[in-house]
Amino acid sequence: MINVPKEPGRKNPRGDFIQIDTTNILFISGGAFAGLEQIINKRMDAASIGFGATMKKNIEDFKVQGKYFDSAIPKDLTNFGMIPEYVGRFPVIVSTKGLDEKSLVDILTVPKNSLMKQYNFQFAMNGVRFHATECALKEIAKCAFKRGSGARGLRSITENILMETMFVVPSLDKVHTVYLDAAAVRGERKPILLKHKDMTAERFEELLQGGETWEDLDGAELVELEDDEDEAA
């Protein structure tokens, strides 16, 4: 049984309290615990020499980290800096697996409020369709995976890619589709704007697969910010 203040804010010793029975309440505590894998590594794979020596493992590998987190014990958490009284109240320790590129692609597209659906909505407010190819999604996931930023880095990567596009599109009347592919994600060129009414994203992909290039197609151009000198002229 614990006493919880009835009124929010700073605790008042003379205030009213409500008693709560925590017998049937499940408490879950989670976090990133960055650096915990090094503590577990020192405990499990101590440095040694000779024929029976343990080979050095790449702690930066998310698969290796996952195996170490699976072997975490309360002593590792206390060495990490948590007080024993706190660790003792959480008898079950469970670790999650690191995100691979496929999982990052799913995060970009599957959730109800996924990042790609947000961009679809934002461009649709200006009557423009946003089309990201499978190779573009995989390239964004690959970039986030290499940075080690996980799902948090997906927005910053995508925002940098589409920043100019989001500024340019509202001022253009004929643009109906923004086409994002792997080349644009890698920074080799800007995203492509489709203007011709018959040039849908599906039709554009068919022509590219047939050997055409975007420069040869009518109604397709790159995102480009106008210079102040051009506007003055």
Side-chain angles (χ1 to χ4, degrees):
M1 301 294 295
I2 61 173
N3 293 324
V4 180
K6 184 177 180 180
E7 299 295 333
R10 184 175 297 180
K11 288 186 176 181
N12 184 5
R14 298 180 180 178
D16 296 331
F17 288 87
I18 300 175
Q19 285 192 338
I20 297 179
D21 185 4
T22 62
T23 303
N24 298 318
I25 298 178
L26 174 64
F27 291 91
I28 300 176
S29 176
F33 298 95
L36 179 62
E37 68 277 4
Q38 299 179 4
I39 297 175
I40 302 175
N41 173 259
K42 292 180 181 179
R43 174 175 59 83
M44 297 182 58
D45 301 324
S48 58
I49 60 176
F51 292 104
T54 304
M55 299 297 293
K56 185 177 180 180
K57 297 180 180 179
N58 182 16
I59 303 180
E60 300 297 329
D61 188 354
F62 77 99
K63 293 183 179 179
V64 176
Q65 290 182 1
K67 292 181 180 179
Y68 278 134
F69 286 137
D70 288 337
S71 303
I73 60 176
K75 182 180 179 181
D76 298 325
L77 297 177
T78 55
N79 291 335
F80 185 73
M82 302 174 69
I83 59 176
E85 291 81 359
Y86 183 75
V87 176
R89 296 181 182 273
F90 294 91
V92 179
I93 300 176
V94 179
S95 66
T96 57
K97 304 300 181 182
L99 297 173
D100 55 10
E101 294 180 12
K102 183 180 182 302
S103 299
L104 292 172
V105 172
D106 291 339
I107 293 174
L108 280 171
T109 57
V110 174
K112 182 179 180 180
N113 194 29
S114 67
L115 197 58
M116 290 297 105
K117 293 177 182 178
Q118 293 182 31
Y119 282 110
N120 286 333
F121 178 78
Q122 292 180 17
F123 281 108
M125 293 177 65
N126 295 296
V128 177
R129 179 190 176 192
F130 175 67
H131 180 81
T133 63
E134 289 292 332
C135 58
L137 298 175
K138 292 179 180 178
E139 197 67 28
I140 295 173
K142 185 185 298 183
C143 183
F145 183 80
K146 289 181 179 180
R147 292 184 182 183
S149 55
R152 297 184 185 91
L154 294 175
R155 177 173 290 278
S156 62
I157 295 171
T158 312
E159 198 75 17
N160 290 332
I161 298 169
L162 297 174
M163 181 67 70
E164 292 184 8
T165 307
M166 297 179 68
F167 277 104
V168 170
V169 166
S171 61
L172 301 176
D173 297 332
K174 296 183 179 180
V175 175
H176 60 78
T177 302
V178 174
Y179 185 86
L180 181 68
D181 58 359
V185 175
R186 290 192 295 265
E188 299 174 2
R189 56 167 170 74
K190 301 295 180 62
I192 298 174
L193 303 178
L194 302 180
K195 291 186 173 182
H196 197 284
K197 61 180 181 178
D198 296 329
M199 185 62 70
T200 62
E202 292 75 15
R203 176 59 178 167
F204 184 72
E205 288 183 342
E206 290 179 2
L207 295 174
L208 292 180
Q209 294 176 359
E212 299 283 350
T213 61
W214 70 268
E215 296 96 333
D216 302 329
L217 300 177
D218 184 25
E221 63 180 41
L222 298 181
V223 174
E224 184 177 358
L225 288 175
E226 296 181 358
D227 297 332
D228 296 337
E229 297 179 355
D230 297 338
E231 293 179 356

